[in-house]
């Protein structure tokens, strides 16, 4: 486990410069690529809507590597968990520079502040070889926190919801021609099977109201693509989607939209009785394709759900799927899930391996031609 993390850290640091050089080459190459939607090319995309694209994002985008001493404790409790948690990401700004257009955050409700400022595993390994000090300075104030698993996997590139959003906002303002960025999140609740873990608080109606307020404290309404905009004059959000309600791609450039990836009970709690999310800033993982609020779907398995994803994309819905999960594809150098994800037409494809991890395999997720975004292979064959 120690070898995995130390090698990964060195590889990621070395890859920052290489990644920047790669993107310079990609931008130049994109000018001859008829399906490139972002870069230095003057592609005519005036006839496209934002759901006519396909692009890549990162899974648990905030996550830093678990120090080896902490990972060894996890391994001793559950070997499988240690394997699946052995991944990490570059800072959000660098991911966005490298072409990620979907960011995923896990958020915890902390209305009083300090609930996550003394995590268990960093305390248990403090001062031991293979660990590092845990900086809790951003965790004392009230507000939503960003981490993977309380007490266990707690290190993040941006420790608070607002800090993460501010970083995305600043990058967006500096790059106003980017295709729309999907910011999706999980609202984490409950405890853990690992002994001694402090349970996370449940998300209440008040919590979701506070969450909306934090979003609007960072982004201006004009920066957001919202359910109201997509619904337009139609009676329901679903009808707006099925009648071409997503903004034109050119009008969506430089903007972001939010999606809540949660089970139906949490979706209903967030909606607060608003069947088409009227007045709310966040799309939700739709309960089904017939629901009034249907617009966005998280469908993680592009192999088992291949036909469902294609059908949803063809109808006009936006779908996010995963090219890999639990480090399996990278360890086995298995591209089958990745290729299925591309072929589904899902607009946003999530990965932990926008850079390959050499101690696993050459496995990597990039769009054909290494472009940042392309015309959706299910919805439209060409940008021309």
């Amino acid at each position: 486990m120690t070898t995995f993390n130390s090698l990964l850290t060195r590889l990621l640091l070395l890859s920052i410069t290489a990644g920047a050089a790669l993107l310079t080459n990609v931008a130049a190459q994109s000018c001859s690529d008829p399906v490139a939607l972002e870069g230095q090319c003057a592609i005519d995309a005036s006839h496209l809507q934002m759901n006519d694209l396909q692009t890549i994002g990162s899974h648990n985008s905030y996550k830093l590597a678990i120090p080896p001493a902490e990972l060894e404790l996890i391994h001793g409790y559950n070997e499988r968990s240690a394997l699946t948690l052995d991944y990490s990401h570059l800072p959000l700004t660098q991911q966005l520079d490298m072409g990620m257009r979907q960011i995923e955050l896990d958020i915890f409700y902390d209305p009083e502040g300090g609930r996550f400022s003394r995590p268990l595993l960093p305390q248990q390994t403090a001062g031991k070889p293979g660990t590092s000090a845990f900086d809790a300075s951003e965790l004392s104030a009230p507000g939503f926190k960003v981490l993977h698993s309380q007490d266990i996997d707690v290190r993040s590139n941006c420790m608070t919801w607002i800090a993460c959003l501010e970083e995305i906002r600043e990058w967006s303002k500096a790059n106003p021609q980017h295709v729309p960025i999907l910011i999706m999140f999980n609202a984490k609740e409950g405890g853990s099977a690992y002994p001694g873990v402090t349970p996370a608080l449940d998300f209440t109606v008040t919590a979701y109201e506070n969450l909306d307020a934090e979003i609007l404290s960072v982004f201006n309404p004009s920066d957001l693509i919202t359910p109201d905009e997509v619904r337009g004059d139609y009676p329901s959000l679903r009808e707006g989607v099925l009648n071409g309600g997503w903004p034109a791609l050119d009008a969506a450039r430089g903007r972001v939209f939010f999606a809540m990836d949660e089970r139906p009970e949490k979706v209903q709690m967030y909606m607060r009785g608003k069947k088409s999310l009227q007045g709310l800033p966040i799309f939700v993982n739709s309960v089904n394709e017939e629901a009034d609020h249907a617009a966005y779907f998280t469908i993680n398995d592009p192999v088992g759900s291949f036909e469902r994803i294609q059908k949803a994309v063809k109808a006009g819905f936006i779908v996010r799927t995963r090219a890999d999960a639990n480090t399996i594809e990278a360890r086995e150098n298995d591209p089958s899930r990745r290729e299925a994800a591309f072929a589904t037409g899902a607009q946003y494809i999530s990965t932990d391996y926008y850079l390959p991890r050499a101690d696993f395999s050459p496995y990597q997720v990039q769009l054909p031609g290494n472009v940042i975004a392309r015309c959706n292979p299910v919805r439209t064959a060409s940008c021309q």
Side-chain angles (χ1 to χ4, degrees):
M1 296 304 160
T2 300
T3 301
F4 285 161
N5 278 271
S6 60
L7 278 172
L8 177 60
T9 300
R10 290 197 296 270
L11 285 168
L12 289 180
L13 289 173
L14 288 171
S15 296
I16 293 172
T17 302
L22 173 63
L23 279 181
T24 299
N25 292 333
V26 169
Q29 293 167 3
S30 297
C31 294
S32 60
D33 188 329
V35 295
L37 294 176
E38 188 177 329
Q40 295 177 349
C41 305
I43 296 295
D44 179 12
S46 59
H47 63 294
L48 299 177
Q49 293 176 282
M50 61 176 278
N51 57 325
D52 290 327
L53 61 77
Q54 186 173 68
T55 189
I56 293 173
S58 55
H59 161 251
N60 290 346
S61 312
Y62 56 88
K63 187 179 176 323
L64 294 175
I66 301 173
E70 296 174 28
L71 198 60
E72 289 293 342
L73 287 181
I74 298 171
H75 184 272
Y77 178 75
N78 187 315
E79 181 179 358
R80 179 63 181 163
S81 292
L83 291 173
T84 62
L85 293 174
D86 188 15
Y87 66 94
S88 67
H89 288 294
L90 297 170
L92 299 186
T93 297
Q94 291 173 11
Q95 291 184 50
L96 292 164
D97 282 341
M98 296 183 71
M100 298 304 100
R101 296 297 179 263
Q102 172 252 298
I103 298 296
E104 180 181 2
L105 305 172
D106 287 328
I107 57 175
F108 290 75
Y109 186 39
D110 187 19
E112 297 182 1
R115 187 173 184 84
F116 308 106
S117 59
R118 291 180 54 81
L120 180 66
L121 262 59
Q123 290 187 71
Q124 291 179 341
T125 59
K128 295 181 179 179
T131 192
S132 58
F134 180 74
D135 182 1
S137 58
E138 296 182 65
L139 299 177
S140 59
F144 296 91
K145 306 305 189 296
V146 174
L147 57 145
H148 190 224
S149 177
Q150 73 273 28
D151 284 320
I152 306 302
D153 189 1
V154 295
R155 297 169 193 268
S156 173
N157 279 313
C158 46
M159 299 294 292
T160 69
W161 176 242
I162 284 184
C164 295
L165 298 190
E166 287 178 339
E167 185 171 356
I168 297 168
R169 179 198 63 196
E170 292 310 301
W171 185 91
S172 178
K173 287 184 178 299
N175 297 271
Q177 289 302 304
H178 67 77
V179 299
I181 296 169
L182 166 60
I183 303 172
M184 56 177 295
F185 68 93
N186 298 114
K188 291 292 192 79
E189 298 178 341
S192 168
Y194 196 94
V197 170
T198 300
L201 298 176
D202 288 345
F203 274 69
T204 61
V205 169
T206 299
Y208 287 125
E209 290 172 345
N210 292 342
L211 184 67
D212 289 348
E214 287 202 6
I215 290 173
L216 295 173
S217 75
V218 175
F219 288 100
N220 293 322
S222 59
D223 298 329
L224 303 179
I225 299 159
T226 64
D228 283 344
E229 179 178 356
V230 176
R231 187 180 71 255
D233 294 330
Y234 286 93
S236 72
L237 177 56
R238 175 180 180 273
E239 290 178 81
V241 167
L242 298 182
N243 286 280
W246 292 107
L249 180 57
D250 285 347
R253 290 185 184 276
R255 300 164 72 193
V256 306
F257 68 113
F258 287 83
M260 175 181 172
D261 176 20
E262 279 298 350
R263 60 184 187 270
E265 313 90 82
K266 288 188 183 180
V267 165
Q268 295 296 336
M269 174 86 68
Y270 174 75
M271 290 173 63
R272 283 102 87 181
K274 299 175 180 180
K275 293 184 178 181
S276 286
L277 303 167
Q278 297 95 324
L280 300 178
I282 299 173
F283 294 88
V284 294
N285 186 18
S286 308
V287 172
N288 57 57
E289 286 84 348
E290 302 303 316
D292 284 348
H293 64 263
Y296 165 84
F297 291 89
T298 296
I299 307 177
N300 284 322
D301 181 2
V303 177
S305 300
F306 187 91
E307 292 183 0
R308 183 190 175 199
I309 295 174
Q310 275 206 340
K311 183 178 179 182
V313 169
K314 287 178 181 177
F317 300 110
I318 283 181
V319 179
R320 174 269 197 183
T321 194
R322 292 184 66 178
D324 42 75
N326 300 320
T327 75
I328 294 170
E329 287 75 18
R331 292 180 189 274
E332 299 177 358
N333 195 24
D334 179 2
S336 56
R337 180 170 176 160
R338 176 189 69 198
E339 297 310 307
F342 289 152
T344 63
Q347 289 89 348
Y348 293 88
I349 298 171
S350 178
T351 181
D352 287 317
Y353 302 99
Y354 44 88
L355 291 174
R357 180 164 165 178
D359 58 323
F360 284 175
S361 78
Y363 176 85
Q364 185 176 14
V365 178
Q366 296 176 316
L367 287 173
N370 296 341
V371 296
I372 292 173
R374 66 171 179 171
C375 283
N376 192 293
V378 168
R379 291 189 56 81
T380 179
S382 172
C383 289
Q384 302 296 341

